[in-house]
Amino acid sequence: MDTVLYGLSPQQQEDRASFAAFVDDHLVPEADRWDREQQLPDSIVELLGKSRLLVPTLPIEAGGSAMDVETYGLLSEELGRGCGNIRNLVAVQGMVAHAILKWGTKEQADRWVPRIGTGETVGAFALTEPEAGSDARNGSMTAERIGAGYVLNGRKKWMSFGQRAGIFLVFARLEDEPAAFVVERGTDGFRTEPISGLLGLRASELAELTFDGCVVPESHLISRGRLTFDLLATGSLDYGRYSTAYGSVGLAQACLTASLEYTRERTQFGVPLRDHQLVRRMLTDMISSVEAARLLCRQAGVLRARHHKDAIRQTLIAKYVASRAGFAAANDAVQLHGANGIGPDFPVQRHLRDAKVQEIIEGTSQIQQLQIAELTL
């Protein structure tokens, strides 16, 4: 990729090269194994924390590196190229940490945000419920005031890293208004149950959460009122959506690179696969979609950096196009690899499974079709 064509500054080009080297050294060799084992080792979480890449957009004093939003996009792309689970981990930690930093009190931020930023503990974003996925605004989990605290009752499902998280940002209805609480692992009345056997992002350690008379102190209330959903929840999802968009580009790039190498080396009917016209058509479609999706992500990043009023819509468009491009590229990559594409020795089968998940998380493609139209028409 010629970074000049994407308007990258010399510093951004240097950062991107550093991210690529980190991914090649630490993620690419292990990603298939993590997928098979359906979990991440503690060592990679610790390494990300020590490298200030776990929540790089946090201030330095909070465990981040004060990374700007455009550079964060480049990091997300490289992480997505190497391992979708790590890209997801970094996105979720950012969603939780920034929500507490922005909407919590100084005491709450000082207590929890650095622990997430440094990797001392992992955060989970608990919004989705068994009966409320895309319609998360109408979740049924409740919170009631009791004395100097709140009692939580209900269930959450599909929580990324819910198996290992020590801090959960939990959304519930308090006096018929949305509210957000921090619940720490080990709190009485709170338990987690692992979810395994997923199609993709298998090492994202998903869990179902049950709150049965779970009491938290008043100091664990982060926000309440209409803006809790309209700004806190949707803002966090927007942060994750931007990461998913760029991560999908990285995944598509991994599939393109693998396909170019495989079709150059694999010979059928006396010539390399890439010399067959139908194969070249598939490669051309893949090349074009990767380039187009990357440009949309760059545009979204520039607008986000400028706090432009169209940044949210452009991020929706980038995620919609990039996640679909990622799945199409992975699907074609498996096809080009033939029987090898569905075997355990080539990562394109993992990319295909992960790509389908990325069309669902942070807003399904169908929900985004509605949102993009609503913000445009």
Side-chain angles (χ1 to χ4, degrees), residues 224-235:
R224 65 176 298 179
R226 180 177 59 84
L227 296 183
T228 299
F229 193 91
D230 291 348
L231 293 181
L232 192 161
T234 58

Side-chain angles (χ1 to χ4, degrees), residues 244-249 251-252 255 285-286 288-290 292-293 296-297 316-332 351-352 354-361 363-369 372:
T244 303
Y246 253 119
S248 295
V249 173
L251 182 151
C255 291
D285 287 345
M286 200 181 300
S288 301
S289 64
V290 171
L296 284 172
C297 287
L316 283 164
I317 293 171
K319 194 271 183 180
Y320 173 68
V321 172
S323 61
R324 287 163 59 90
F327 181 75
N331 191 48
D332 282 349
H351 291 319
L352 178 60
D354 288 351
K356 173 45 64 179
V357 178
Q358 293 186 158
E359 287 191 299
I360 296 172
I361 59 174
T364 66
S365 295
Q366 289 68 38
I367 290 295
Q368 289 176 336
Q369 287 172 339
I372 292 167

Side-chain angles (χ1 to χ4, degrees), residues 180-306:
F181 302 85
V182 165
V183 179
E184 295 181 309
R185 183 176 292 277
T187 303
D188 290 342
F190 171 52
R191 67 179 187 274
T192 65
E193 182 178 349
I195 300 174
S196 59
L198 296 169
L199 172 68
L201 294 184
R202 289 184 170 183
S204 289
E205 301 172 359
L206 271 65
E208 181 170 356
L209 319 179
T210 300
F211 303 83
D212 186 6
C214 174
V215 178
V216 296
E218 187 173 5
S219 61
H220 285 221
L221 174 65
I222 300 297
S223 174
R224 65 176 298 179
R226 180 177 59 84
L227 296 183
T228 299
F229 193 91
D230 291 348
L231 293 181
L232 192 161
T234 58
S236 298
L237 292 171
D238 178 60
Y239 182 99
R241 192 175 295 125
Y242 177 65
S243 170
T244 303
Y246 253 119
S248 295
V249 173
L251 182 151
Q253 180 64 57
C255 291
L256 172 58
T257 300
S259 296
L260 290 173
E261 293 176 354
Y262 188 82
T263 57
R264 180 180 63 249
E265 298 169 358
R266 179 76 166 179
T267 299
Q268 293 289 283
F269 303 103
V271 297
L273 271 179
R274 68 192 306 171
D275 289 345
H276 293 278
Q277 287 185 331
L278 291 178
V279 170
R280 289 202 167 191
R281 175 182 176 180
M282 295 173 72
L283 292 172
T284 296
D285 287 345
M286 200 181 300
I287 293 166
S288 301
S289 64
V290 171
E291 298 281 346
R294 183 178 286 118
L295 285 170
L296 284 172
C297 287
R298 284 288 299 151
Q299 177 169 274
V302 169
L303 293 180
R304 294 174 73 88
R306 297 175 181 175

